[in-house]
């Protein structure tokens, strides 16, 4: 997560435009989405607790799960992933296994 990107929230139009001109980077976008999920869950827990709710809110890491996250990678990386995927099935979780708590 690049903390300089926080400037776009309250920044002026030039700062926002400069941010939008950055090239898309898959891993940065993935990392930002994971961080956003953590912030959302933390805030949800805080608000529910503040209201006196007994609803539990959990943040969990599913471990290493085989998903389709590689589908948009460079073709060479996808090819390597496909070569090693059968081996990975021996010690990584499938998507349904990762979804089960």
């Amino acid at each position: 997560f690049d903390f300089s990107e926080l400037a776009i929230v309250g920044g002026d139009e030039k700062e926002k435009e400069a941010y939008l001109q950055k090239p898309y980077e898959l891993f940065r976008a993935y990392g930002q989405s994971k961080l956003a999920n953590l912030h959302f869950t933390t805030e949800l827990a805080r608000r529910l607790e503040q209201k006196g709710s007994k609803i539990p809110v959990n943040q969990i890491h599913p471990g290493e799960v085989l998903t389709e996250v590689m589908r948009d990678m460079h073709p060479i990386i996808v090819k390597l992933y496909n070569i090693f995927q059968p081996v990975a099935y021996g010690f990584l979780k499938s998507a349904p296994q990762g979804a089960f708590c």
Side-chain angles (χ1 to χ4, degrees), residues 66-89:
L66 288 167
T67 64
E68 292 186 24
V69 73
M70 300 295 283
R71 71 176 172 250
D72 295 324
M73 295 287 184
H74 189 278
I76 293 172
I77 294 173
V78 172
K79 184 79 166 170
L80 288 171
Y81 174 76
N82 289 335
I83 290 169
F84 291 104
Q85 190 176 16
V87 174
Y89 278 116

Side-chain angles (χ1 to χ4, degrees), residues 18-84:
Y19 173 78
L20 293 173
Q21 295 303 315
K22 287 184 179 181
Y24 175 79
E25 293 180 23
L26 180 66
F27 285 114
R28 181 170 52 164
Y30 178 80
Q32 287 174 331
S33 73
K34 300 300 120 195
L35 183 60
N37 287 338
L38 289 172
H39 285 306
F40 172 80
T41 306
T42 301
E43 180 63 15
L44 176 62
R46 186 191 69 77
R47 290 183 185 197
L48 288 172
E49 183 178 32
Q50 188 178 47
K51 299 270 187 191
S53 174
K54 300 291 185 200
I55 298 172
V57 178
N58 301 303
Q59 298 180 43
I60 56 174
H61 185 289
E64 297 299 322
V65 179
L66 288 167
T67 64
E68 292 186 24
V69 73
M70 300 295 283
R71 71 176 172 250
D72 295 324
M73 295 287 184
H74 189 278
I76 293 172
I77 294 173
V78 172
K79 184 79 166 170
L80 288 171
Y81 174 76
N82 289 335
I83 290 169
F84 291 104

Side-chain angles (χ1 to χ4, degrees), residues 86-99:
V87 174
Y89 278 116
F91 58 91
L92 299 179
K93 297 176 185 177
S94 67
Q97 288 170 328

